Amino acid sequence: MKKLSEVCKIVGVTRRTLQEYDKIDLLKPTSKTESGYWLYDDAAIQKLIVIQIFVEGGYERKAIKTILDSPTVDVFDELDRLIGTLEERRKRLAGMINTIKTLKVGKKLLNSTLRALDNVDIARVYKDKSFAATLEDYAAELSTMDSAEMYSADEEAFILLTCELFSIGYFKGIPENSKCVQDAVHDAYISMVKIILSDDECSKMTDVEMIDIFLEWVKDLMNDSEFSHLFSRPWRDECAEYVLRAVELFCSNKPTNREKG
């Protein structure tokens, strides 16, 4: 048997909550001591846990009492339905979290990324969908990928970098050596450098070493089935290949003394 104060700590409810449950006959103490302390046995505590599960699921107290008191209602069937409800809620919460992450990324996108908007034929590619909405969808989906963990421990920085790479695909049709395209690649390179420099062991790397890492990194991304699928989505034809060619051209120039942040 446990005292009311102990039950509150175990289940995470307040004294007032238990008093209200007692008042409406939802859950009464198992017994009381001569001093007036309320006591609950294991069965009462288990019932309280079930009650709180329904409360967290959005059930009103009156409905919970009906479920628990009814001889015809299967509590476990009701809990199965609650699981479905909570799964849907989890999906909505995950969507909200991804939206917040996307908004944080969107605030940091570089001008070269946004300039890609000028090259988007919305009617052809996404009908009534804007470039911004497309980029948000991309960032949200990217943040859920397990394979992203192998590329960077800084999730937000990684999403920002891949958004910049993704935007290069919208220049498709413009020669890869065009200034606007190469500027966009350069900005993505700078984003990668900032990620790399967060590692003390990499802080003394030369520009050429950084560029080699950048090229290998992009190649790894394009060879990853999840990422290549996303990169190919804008034009549905060789978008990833176009981005890779633009990056290879940038790296083949072996630029030195590149800005590192």
Side-chain angles (χ1 to χ4, degrees):
M1 301 283 281
K2 297 187 183 299
K3 294 180 180 178
L4 182 148
S5 58
E6 294 176 306
V7 174
C8 288
K9 291 179 181 179
I10 292 172
V11 184
V13 295
T14 66
R15 178 183 298 270
R16 182 176 179 180
T17 295
L18 290 180
Q19 290 171 340
E20 290 175 351
Y21 288 175
D22 173 65
K23 186 177 181 179
I24 63 174
D25 293 328
L26 180 56
L27 179 71
K28 288 188 170 294
T30 306
S31 63
K32 296 180 182 180
T33 68
E34 292 182 359
S35 302
Y37 289 104
W38 290 9
L39 300 177
Y40 296 82
D41 61 12
D42 289 343
I45 294 174
Q46 290 175 0
K47 182 178 180 181
L48 176 58
I49 291 172
V50 172
I51 290 171
Q52 291 309 112
I53 290 174
F54 281 119
V55 169
E56 291 295 327
Y59 286 66
E60 295 183 354
R61 293 175 180 180
K62 184 177 181 180
I64 298 173
K65 188 176 186 305
T66 299
I67 292 170
L68 297 181
D69 291 347
S70 174
T72 60
V73 175
D74 189 321
V75 174
F76 290 102
D77 285 345
E78 195 67 34
L79 287 173
D80 284 338
R81 283 190 285 273
L82 179 55
I83 288 173
T85 299
L86 294 177
E87 288 288 354
E88 288 300 318
R89 181 181 299 178
R90 180 166 62 180
K91 291 178 183 178
R92 291 196 298 272
L93 290 174
M96 291 172 63
I97 291 170
N98 286 333
T99 298
I100 292 170
K101 289 179 179 179
T102 301
L103 290 173
K104 289 174 65 180
V105 170
K107 290 289 186 180
K108 299 178 181 179
L109 290 176
L110 301 171
N111 288 334
S112 61
T113 301
L114 300 178
R115 281 199 298 271
L117 177 61
D118 295 335
N119 298 280
V120 180
D121 184 347
I122 298 297
R124 173 191 167 192
V125 183
Y126 288 109
K127 296 182 180 178
D128 60 344
K129 198 169 188 179
S130 69
F131 175 79
T134 300
L135 203 59
E136 287 179 5
D137 288 348
Y138 170 79
E141 185 168 347
L142 182 63
S143 68
T144 66
M145 288 185 175
D146 294 335
S147 55
E149 296 179 4
M150 73 178 70
Y151 298 104
S152 173
D154 187 337
E155 180 181 338
E156 183 178 329
F158 178 72
I159 293 175
L160 177 62
L161 166 61
T162 53
C163 279
E164 290 164 5
L165 287 174
F166 178 76
S167 71
I168 297 171
Y170 284 92
F171 287 109
K172 191 173 181 296
I174 297 176
E176 292 91 330
N177 62 354
S178 299
K179 186 177 184 302
C180 61
V181 178
Q182 288 300 299
D183 282 348
V185 177
H186 173 260
D187 286 341
Y189 166 70
I190 295 303
S191 292
M192 188 221 68
V193 168
K194 290 178 180 178
I195 295 175
I196 293 295
L197 289 182
S198 64
D199 187 338
D200 291 338
E201 295 182 1
C202 300
S203 59
K204 296 182 180 179
M205 283 186 174
T206 66
D207 292 318
V208 172
E209 289 173 328
M210 288 286 190
I211 290 165
D212 288 341
I213 291 175
F214 178 53
L215 179 58
E216 290 304 312
W217 197 350
V218 174
K219 285 182 177 179
D220 286 343
L221 284 174
M222 299 310 169
N223 287 328
D224 185 292
S225 58
E226 285 185 303
F227 287 114
S228 62
H229 174 69
L230 280 181
F231 272 88
S232 297
R233 204 173 286 175
W235 301 112
R236 302 185 185 281
D237 56 356
E238 300 182 349
C239 180
E241 289 82 354
Y242 174 82
V243 173
L244 181 56
R245 287 196 302 271
V247 170
E248 288 175 332
L249 180 60
F250 172 84
C251 295
S252 68
N253 293 327
K254 294 297 180 184
T256 59
N257 298 320
R258 289 283 182 181
E259 178 186 359
K260 293 185 180 181

